[in-house]
Amino acid sequence: MVAGQPSIFARIAAGEIPCQKVFENDLLLAFLDINPLSEGHTLLITKRAVERVEDLTPEEAAEIGRVLPVLVRKILAVTGAAGCNILQNNGRVAGQEVPHVHFHIIPRREGDGLGFRWKPQRRSTEELEALAARIRAQ
Ligand code: AMP
């Protein structure tokens, strides 16, 4: 994205670029991902141009929490998928390509071959306690 230019999702929210809409209200919009990882792969975005989760207003965050389960129920009912991953890439380092808050809803089926490369690290209880205390105190 060119600095200062609206992101592709801001342009979709503004109605300048078409999308396959599945849900809309005053704060949020949901539409099908153009390059789905599975059938029904949907993106839930804020209408307001905001890049990261930590920049959401409490109202937007609450609305996302309210709408996500509703959308998941609809998507699973229509696709017949057994479950889904809800994924939010927050920041470039986390794989965020479009700098506009969006939650992926990715329907999952047995044997679909999708997955993550998690590499869990070992930490002592003392290390975890100290880190949790720092985050609580922040
Ligand atoms: P992320 O890596 O989390 O930023 O994901 C961006 C997602 O946006 C990808 O899954 C893309 O396929 C999807 N995407 C990009 N442009 C469009 C578009 N015009 N309409 C729908 N989905 C899009």
Side-chain angles (χ1 to χ4, degrees):
M1 189 183 79
V2 181
Q5 296 287 335
S7 75
I8 182 111
F9 289 174
R11 299 188 64 198
I12 288 174
E16 294 169 15
I17 291 180
C19 69
Q20 298 302 329
K21 187 196 308 183
V22 300
F23 172 87
E24 181 176 20
N25 68 13
D26 287 349
L27 296 177
L28 306 178
L29 174 68
F31 51 90
L32 297 181
D33 195 294
I34 204 166
N35 291 128
L37 293 175
S38 64
E39 187 190 34
H41 183 169
T42 298
L43 301 172
L44 176 64
I45 74 168
T46 53
K47 283 198 168 166
R48 190 170 68 94
V50 55
E51 188 167 337
R52 296 173 62 122
V53 156
E54 57 269 41
D55 303 326
L56 291 171
T57 64
E59 291 73 25
E60 287 166 335
E63 197 59 13
I64 289 167
R66 199 186 66 77
V67 166
L68 264 176
V70 178
L71 262 183
V72 166
R73 271 197 292 275
K74 287 175 185 275
I75 293 165
L76 295 191
V78 168
T79 62
C84 63
N85 290 110
I86 297 172
L87 180 69
Q88 204 281 321
N89 297 326
N90 200 43
R92 279 195 78 78
V93 73
Q96 183 179 10
E97 288 180 4
V98 178
H100 184 124
V101 169
H102 54 285
F103 285 72
H104 297 257
I105 300 167
I106 306 166
R108 297 297 305 270
R109 295 165 186 80
E110 285 298 335
D112 61 17
L114 295 174
F116 297 103
R117 277 177 290 119
W118 295 115
K119 288 202 286 179
Q121 303 171 7
R122 287 212 158 273
R123 288 286 185 274
S124 69
T125 303
E126 292 72 26
E127 282 176 292
L128 295 176
E129 272 174 5
L131 183 57
R134 285 177 56 206
I135 296 171
R136 282 198 302 273
Q138 174 70 35

